[in-house]
Amino acid sequence: MKDFWKRFRYNRGAVIGLFILAFVIATAILAPVLFPQSPWKMVQRPFLPPFTQDGLMLGTDALGRDVMAGLAHGAYVSLLVGLVSTIVALAIGVPVGALAGYFAGRTDDALMRFTEFFQTIPSFALAIVLLAIFQPSLTFVIIAISIVSWPPVARLVRGEVLSLRTREFVEAATLSGLGNTQIILRHILPNALPPIIVLASLMVAQAILLESSLSFLGLGDPNIMSWGYMIGAARTVIRTAWWLSFLPGMAILLTVLALNLIGEGLNDALNPRLTRKSE
Amino acid sequence: MTLLSIRDLDIALPVGADRLYAAKHINFDLAAGEILCIVGESGSGKSMSANAIMGLLPQGVKPVNGSITFDGKEILGLSEREMLPLRGGRISMIFQEPLSALNPLMRVGAQIAEVFEAHGALNGAERRERALKLLDEVGIPDPDAAIRAYPFQLSGGQRQRVMIAMALALEPDILIADEPTTALDVTTQAQILKLIEDLRKSRGMAVIFITHDFGVVADIADRVIVMQKGEIVESGSADDVLLKPQHPYTRALIDAIPRLTRGGDVEEVKHTPILTVEGLQKTFSTGSGTLFGKRRVVKAVQDVSFELYAGETIGIVGESGSGKSTVGRCIVRLLDPDGGRVLMDGADIAHMSGAELRDQRRKLQMIFQDPFSSLNPRARVSRILTEGLIAFGTPKADAQTKARELLELVGLDASAMMRFPHEFSGGQRQRIGIARALALDPSIIIADEAVSALDVSIQAQVLDLLAELKERLHLSMLFITHDLRVAARICDRIIVMQKGRIVEAGPVGKVLHDPDTDYTRSLLDAIPGQDYERALAEAE
């Protein structure tokens, strides 16, 4: 664990990413305290530019709502969607991949064709279709994102398991009389964890982007203030009030960048052999 | 005439390694046309010393002191650019694993031509011609076909020949060979050694040969350097070092060599078969055989039958690809045999499944080859040893007690329980593997190349341990190995396999000293260091 932290810290980008993410998380948690009022409430005249009035540092939007409050509450939504949908995607993808890789043969064929069925449809188009069928609430946004993002997990886990199951320690476990479930859970998956963790960190970023894109198109939960919705609403006034699109855009950019940097750092720290020159 | 001379070379390891220097006070000279063997166990610094000559030390490992003079010029500390003409041009190197040293996506001819290209020598057509000549010189049959082959289409021995051809391309003065035959079968090893010897004669090239095998040393060395923990403990002419070793470490290493010379005086063992294998078959096939490529069928095991008696050790020997490991795996059902029966206590394991198989398999445990991949890197030793017992319903506390006893039995401290596998050395890990195999109180142990990955001295210890445990616990053992010397040391009977079939079977003394088949004879002849062994035996 100490080694892990040492190697992680060595990647300066990853540490910066961690700081940005910590800031976003803090904002999300503190949003209800700092901005107790609903972000939907009109507080001033519309199109107030940033830094022109005390208490409304980032100005107001087309309906006179506080942009800063919107960003803070949006952070909560983005992180929630990113995290929960990744967990759900892992919960689908890891078992599918593990079963396919471990049992191989027909099980593998069946599960992988099923996975490919999802992979052949462009994920964003599928998410749109799913949300068009469901009602657009936060729960369904999360479900839609999970459904389109589990196939790569299944693929990755399958590959890892395929190579691990022929290792001698797995054979030894078989000879010791361990059942399949025990072998998968105790011998194979723990050794397949590092790449899964790295992928998960990148999936959170992907999910945040997806959620923003969906909200931008107006397919998000209409009762929840999110970054994507803010950009979508400001789209029509981009020439007169560019900051209304720019600020939430920056928020998305920084958060996704932070997660990608962390992902890379995790990759270096968890796969020390693949790390570039250590000088 | 001295070609290369190393004086007081110290190579520092990165801070935090288990010792300060990879190699310290290295002093030796190499004359033109001489074969110098550097012998030592893994981690003795023998490869590091050779890599230092090429300027190919790993990250963080640096020469800190001393000098390396080649042809009168100091080459230690030359820049990368200045090293380039030397590498491959004047000094070249071959490695242990020819498959990973060759580019899998490049044809053999192109790889050889690349060497000329890198040094700006010759034009396209000449390069091809030289490549052909080199392939012919290193004894590859049908060079015209080989030059268009990809590395995977060649056998291990042929790949090593290609590597040698590449190393020889620019007619170097020195060839550094780092364990070039370790990954090869005995018969192939003998051929490669002969090739190196011949090339030395015909080209007057100096060779630095790094190995851990004293048999190989005895066969080719002019001079020998013995290294231990980064220091040279003994050096001298081959005869002096091998027959009159001065340093206790050299003596220990020589004593540890498994010898073929063993009497055929094995008493007839009681004939109660504990395991009967009848007509075992296993066929592997690749490719679907339909539109997408030809179906390739490999008959790995064909009609293999034998009986293992209680308290006996049978050695199954053969070259790689002879199907010896497949037999072991079919018996424990890590692979499903296609035909035949495996009878244990009258029950046929080959056709069992589910709970029945699980219960029978308790008595049949396996020791694996690679001590680094046979233990789960994320499990503590206590879990590795108790898991099987717990799976068969032993209470956890009892299993823990048993695990501690097992560790003691294999010569490890009970404090090992809470540690992870990476904290142990190769030999210790293999002991843990043995303890795991014994956890379920088996009556038959199948050891698949169980000592092949270990250094000779450790190998001897592990073999002694196995022999002792076998006596104490009344085990029967199937010992699968490619090394006849190892088989000679531990087995009562030997089965020789070739291309999936048993070609010869019989008591150790008979098979090793009076074999019936030419194949066994060729295996025996290929064992390195036999003259030396005889000389040693006479000296004793």
Side-chain angles (χ1 to χ4, degrees):
Chain A
M1 196 60 210
K2 221 167 127 194
D3 277 4
F4 167 80
W5 178 235
K6 220 162 98 188
R7 285 196 299 265
F8 186 83
R9 231 176 19 189
Y10 180 77
N11 187 327
R12 206 180 306 151
V15 179
I16 295 174
L18 208 58
F19 273 114
I20 300 177
L21 187 66
F23 176 74
V24 178
I25 292 174
T27 314
I29 294 171
L30 294 178
V33 185
L34 295 174
F35 306 97
Q37 284 185 330
S38 160
W40 298 95
K41 191 167 179 259
M42 283 171 256
V43 289
Q44 247 292 349
R45 72 169 179 85
F47 300 119
L48 189 69
F51 309 114
T52 48
Q53 186 161 356
D54 290 343
L56 289 171
M57 207 186 6
L58 297 180
T60 57
D61 71 0
L63 294 173
R65 296 174 296 211
D66 184 355
V67 173
M68 185 100 140
L71 285 181
H73 285 268
Y76 168 75
V77 176
S78 288
L79 288 179
L80 182 78
V81 170
L83 210 64
V84 177
S85 65
T86 300
I87 291 171
V88 176
L90 288 177
I92 307 171
V94 171
V96 168
L99 291 177
Y102 187 78
F103 290 105
R106 274 162 203 255
T107 321
D108 183 28
D109 282 343
L111 287 171
M112 280 304 113
R113 292 307 87 78
F114 180 66
T115 311
E116 276 158 15
F117 173 73
F118 282 89
Q119 280 192 301
T120 45
I121 308 170
S123 58
F124 191 59
L126 180 59
I128 291 175
V129 171
L130 288 171
L131 279 177
I133 300 169
F134 304 140
Q135 319 99 306
S137 75
L138 192 60
T139 318
F140 284 111
V141 170
I142 290 175
I143 291 176
I145 294 176
S146 313
I147 289 179
V148 301
S149 53
W150 69 267
V153 184
R155 284 264 166 210
L156 175 83
V157 174
R158 171 180 175 268
E160 287 292 317
V161 173
L162 267 180
S163 83
L164 283 168
R165 70 189 272 273
T166 54
R167 295 276 286 278
E168 289 183 338
F169 66 83
V170 176
E171 296 187 330
T174 316
L175 289 185
S176 298
L178 264 64
N180 290 331
T181 328
Q182 272 173 308
I183 291 178
I184 294 176
L185 290 181
R186 302 184 60 177
H187 287 275
I188 294 183
L189 284 183
N191 285 294
L193 216 50
I196 300 178
I197 292 175
V198 173
L199 180 67
S201 72
L202 299 177
M203 279 169 62
V204 176
Q206 193 70 37
I208 291 177
L209 276 179
L210 256 176
E211 190 276 336
S212 305
S213 313
L214 289 169
S215 300
F216 175 82
L217 292 179
L219 290 165
D221 190 332
N223 302 315
I224 287 174
M225 180 62 79
S226 87
W227 292 341
Y229 166 78
M230 289 168 78
I231 300 176
R235 180 174 48 99
T236 48
V237 294
I238 191 158
R239 270 187 286 182
T240 48
W242 56 270
W243 62 89
L244 291 181
S245 320
F246 175 78
L247 292 171
M250 277 309 280
I252 296 174
L253 175 84
L254 285 176
T255 313
V256 171
L257 179 71
L259 283 161
N260 276 290
L261 288 173
I262 291 171
E264 192 172 305
L266 282 173
N267 195 24
D268 284 357
L270 294 170
N271 300 322
R273 251 173 288 163
L274 298 179
T275 315
R276 289 164 296 271
K277 286 191 177 177
S278 51
E279 262 188 311
Chain B
M1 155 201 150
T2 305
L3 196 59
L4 178 84
S5 119
I6 296 186
R7 288 283 167 271
D8 292 321
L9 180 67
D10 293 344
I11 303 170
L13 284 171
V15 188
D18 58 341
R19 61 177 196 241
L20 283 173
Y21 293 96
K24 200 163 168 48
H25 300 313
I26 302 298
N27 279 298
F28 66 80
D29 292 319
L30 181 71
E34 179 185 43
I35 297 187
L36 172 72
C37 275
I38 306 183
V39 206
E41 307 198 311
S42 43
S44 63
K46 53 190 197 300
S47 293
M48 287 286 188
S49 311
N51 285 345
I53 300 171
M54 291 292 266
L56 290 176
L57 290 169
Q59 282 294 327
V61 181
K62 284 196 241 1
V64 287
N65 197 9
S67 76
I68 302 177
T69 14
F70 169 66
D71 211 6
K73 281 195 296 287
E74 174 66 39
I75 59 166
L76 190 64
L78 284 189
S79 67
E80 279 292 293
R81 181 178 281 278
E82 290 164 315
M83 275 310 282
L84 285 180
L86 283 182
R87 282 188 202 142
R90 314 256 348 242
I91 309 177
S92 57
M93 192 159 182
I94 55 178
F95 304 91
Q96 173 169 352
E97 186 44 79
L99 185 56
S100 53
L102 290 170
N103 183 342
L105 294 177
M106 254 171 106
R107 290 178 199 273
V108 164
Q111 300 201 39
I112 300 178
E114 201 184 29
V115 179
F116 295 113
E117 203 180 319
H119 290 265
L122 313 177
N123 63 34
E126 286 168 352
R127 282 174 193 156
R128 195 188 132 82
E129 201 173 309
R130 284 282 297 143
L132 270 177
K133 231 189 235 151
L134 281 164
L135 287 177
D136 192 41
E137 190 178 349
V138 296
I140 289 203
D142 197 3
D144 283 311
I147 202 164
R148 284 195 308 273
Y150 287 100
F152 74 88
Q153 293 169 315
L154 303 174
S155 71
Q158 285 175 338
R159 280 183 215 130
Q160 196 57 282
R161 283 170 197 268
V162 171
M163 279 301 296
I164 295 175
M166 286 170 68
L168 294 178
L170 293 164
E171 318 210 334
D173 301 308
I174 300 178
L175 176 70
I176 300 175
D178 190 354
E179 304 256 11
T181 59
T182 309
L184 305 174
D185 286 320
V186 268
T187 41
T188 324
Q189 165 170 299
Q191 290 162 8
I192 297 284
L193 291 179
K194 185 162 179 312
L195 174 67
I196 291 177
E197 176 88 58
D198 290 348
L199 289 169
R200 185 266 300 250
K201 270 191 207 123
S202 62
R203 296 184 168 224
M205 179 177 66
V207 179
I208 298 180
F209 197 103
I210 299 164
T211 182
H212 66 273
D213 189 335
F214 267 97
V216 172
V217 176
D219 279 1
I220 67 164
D222 297 323
R223 279 196 309 128
V224 181
I225 287 177
V226 183
M227 287 189 71
Q228 182 193 20
K229 294 184 184 149
E231 296 192 39
I232 296 181
V233 295
E234 182 155 4
S235 65
S237 76
D239 286 349
D240 282 348
V241 174
L242 292 172
L243 293 174
K244 285 170 277 185
Q246 300 300 316
H247 195 275
Y249 179 70
T250 316
R251 247 174 270 150
L253 279 183
I254 290 177
D255 284 343
I257 308 171
R259 305 222 193 137
L260 262 187
T261 38
R262 200 184 121 181
D265 55 335
V266 186
E267 89 265 33
E268 282 293 291
V269 231
K270 40 274 154 208
H271 282 254
T272 37
I274 182 165
L275 182 81
T276 310
V277 177
E278 283 174 5
L280 198 67
Q281 307 267 4
K282 177 73 192 173
T283 308
F284 293 108
S285 58
T286 51
S288 56
T290 54
L291 202 57
F292 306 104
K294 239 186 330 188
R295 191 183 179 85
R296 281 186 67 214
V297 175
V298 180
K299 290 186 177 157
V301 176
Q302 299 177 65
D303 201 20
V304 165
S305 306
F306 62 89
E307 282 183 331
L308 176 69
Y309 304 126
E312 176 193 44
T313 302
I314 291 187
I316 303 184
V317 297
E319 295 180 277
S320 51
S322 62
K324 55 188 192 305
S325 287
T326 312
V327 170
R329 270 154 205 273
C330 282
I331 292 173
V332 294
R333 286 290 300 279
L334 283 173
L335 289 172
D336 291 331
D338 296 329
R341 300 200 297 169
V342 178
L343 298 170
M344 203 166 106
D345 303 334
D348 183 7
I349 316 176
H351 296 100
M352 277 182 191
S353 59
E356 203 186 1
L357 172 67
R358 188 167 162 258
D359 282 342
Q360 278 293 327
R361 201 147 62 176
R362 238 195 120 142
K363 295 180 219 148
L364 204 59
Q365 292 293 310
M366 196 152 173
I367 301 168
F368 294 88
Q369 169 173 5
D370 184 355
F372 289 89
S373 83
S374 67
L375 303 175
N376 183 348
R378 285 174 193 263
R380 286 178 202 278
V381 171
S382 65
R383 204 179 99 196
I384 292 172
L385 294 181
T386 56
E387 200 163 51
L389 286 165
I390 293 171
F392 278 102
T394 314
K396 198 166 175 200
D398 292 0
Q400 295 270 2
T401 319
K402 169 108 189 182
R404 260 180 230 111
E405 287 167 13
L406 285 168
L407 282 175
E408 209 169 298
L409 194 67
V410 297
L412 288 174
D413 195 74
S415 66
M417 289 285 277
M418 292 320 286
R419 289 155 73 188
F420 284 99
H422 66 83
E423 297 171 52
F424 297 90
S425 70
Q428 289 172 325
R429 282 159 155 259
Q430 201 56 305
R431 283 169 194 266
I432 296 171
I434 293 172
R436 171 177 60 193
L438 296 174
L440 295 172
D441 295 320
S443 44
I444 300 172
I445 293 278
I446 295 178
D448 189 359
E449 301 276 10
V451 297
S452 306
L454 305 174
D455 282 323
V456 266
S457 58
I458 311 287
Q459 202 174 52
Q461 291 166 15
V462 172
L463 285 174
D464 288 345
L465 173 70
L466 280 175
E468 184 203 321
L469 288 174
K470 193 191 100 177
E471 282 302 313
R472 243 165 84 185
L473 306 173
H474 308 291
L475 298 169
S476 311
M477 201 160 16
L478 264 187
F479 198 90
I480 299 166
T481 181
H482 68 279
D483 193 337
L484 279 163
R485 291 173 295 175
V486 169
R489 186 172 176 132
I490 191 167
C491 301
D492 302 312
R493 281 197 297 152
I494 286 185
I495 290 175
V496 181
M497 285 188 68
Q498 183 191 19
K499 293 180 185 155
R501 292 181 186 277
I502 293 182
V503 292
E504 179 155 2
V508 166
K510 170 93 172 69
V511 174
L512 294 182
H513 299 300
D514 181 23
D516 288 333
T517 59
D518 289 337
Y519 180 69
T520 313
R521 220 165 285 132
S522 71
L523 281 183
L524 285 166
D525 286 342
I527 296 174
Q530 295 191 64
D531 296 336
Y532 167 55
E533 201 177 291
R534 248 166 263 135
L536 261 186
E538 274 163 31
E540 270 163 15

